[in-house]
Amino acid sequence: MSVQERKERERAGRERLIVATARELAEQQGWDAVTTRRLAERIEYSQPVLYSHFRGKREIIGAVALEGAAEMAAALRGATAGADGPRARVTALARAYLDFAEGNPAVYDAMFRLDGGLAFAREDTPEPLKDAFAALLESLGEVAGDGVHPGLFTEVFWAALHGLATLTRAGRLPPEDAGRRVELLVDRLAVV
């Protein structure tokens, strides 16, 4: 292995460590607790080393969001892979989405609530974000209904899922009715 390859591998390892530590700290104490000083202390590198990888917290949030988008896409595809028929796929997708949001609140915030400097719904949208949307579209596009643009339907269904996830997490919706909400969403919006 060349010196350059070793340095690149070490750099990539430090970036993974920074992102993993930020994510862990955010999940434990919230994003307000994630500071470059605290990250530097936890990973035992100086703040200048952190800044050599990320210009600041915003870029770290963006890196966590991209990692989360890839994980969410995999979770959605995994949940829908074994489902039998469109209705079962959409129901599995909705449950997997809500489970991901509930199980990864700091990551979900990085993806959809905080400014990570990422472009959404544009030509320069990063691939992990495009792929996460594609994972939704794969199951939702087939139930959009006649004359309804599949991408537009996916956006509306996604917005409904995001609203359910956000309101449930905030304690505005009782969690015991989550399953009934999914069924109602699938029954009323999806043409299955």
Side-chain angles (χ1 to χ4, degrees):
M1 173 183 303
S2 73
V3 172
Q4 181 64 28
E5 289 172 331
R6 182 182 52 78
K7 286 183 178 183
E8 288 174 10
R9 188 180 70 206
E10 289 171 357
R11 180 174 178 76
R14 279 192 307 271
E15 283 188 11
R16 284 191 303 274
L17 179 60
I18 293 166
V19 171
T21 304
R23 187 174 169 165
E24 178 184 315
L25 188 57
E27 291 292 0
Q28 291 171 353
Q29 300 176 31
W31 277 103
D32 288 341
V34 179
T35 64
T36 54
R37 178 186 300 186
R38 196 174 262 167
L39 286 173
E41 289 171 2
R42 282 219 175 172
I43 65 172
E44 298 178 348
Y45 284 107
S46 67
Q47 284 182 304
V49 169
L50 263 73
Y51 285 117
S52 73
H53 291 274
F54 299 99
R55 287 182 289 205
K57 184 175 175 177
R58 182 179 187 219
E59 283 190 3
I60 294 169
I61 290 169
V64 170
L66 293 176
E67 192 174 88
E71 291 171 10
M72 186 177 78
L76 297 178
R77 287 187 175 109
T80 59
D84 186 27
R87 178 180 177 70
R89 271 190 295 284
V90 173
T91 300
L93 175 118
R95 288 186 176 136
Y97 184 96
L98 295 172
D99 288 347
F100 181 87
E102 180 183 357
N104 304 280
V107 174
Y108 193 82
D109 285 348
M111 293 168 64
F112 300 120
R113 192 179 66 79
L114 302 174
D115 178 10
L118 303 173
F120 282 82
R122 296 191 339 214
E123 201 59 38
D124 60 339
T125 298
E127 272 312 307
L129 298 178
K130 288 179 181 179
D131 189 51
F133 185 78
L136 291 166
L137 182 62
E138 289 162 11
S139 292
L140 295 171
E142 69 179 320
V143 297
D146 293 337
V148 177
H149 187 278
L152 185 61
F153 177 78
T154 300
E155 290 171 352
V156 170
F157 201 95
W158 172 29
L161 289 173
H162 176 70
L164 290 174
T166 303
L167 291 170
T168 300
R169 182 169 157 205
R172 305 298 196 273
L173 298 175
E176 63 271 10
D177 291 329
R180 290 180 33 208
R181 285 187 201 95
V182 167
E183 292 300 319
L184 183 60
L185 184 63
V186 172
D187 285 345
R188 299 295 184 217
L189 285 183
V191 179
V192 288

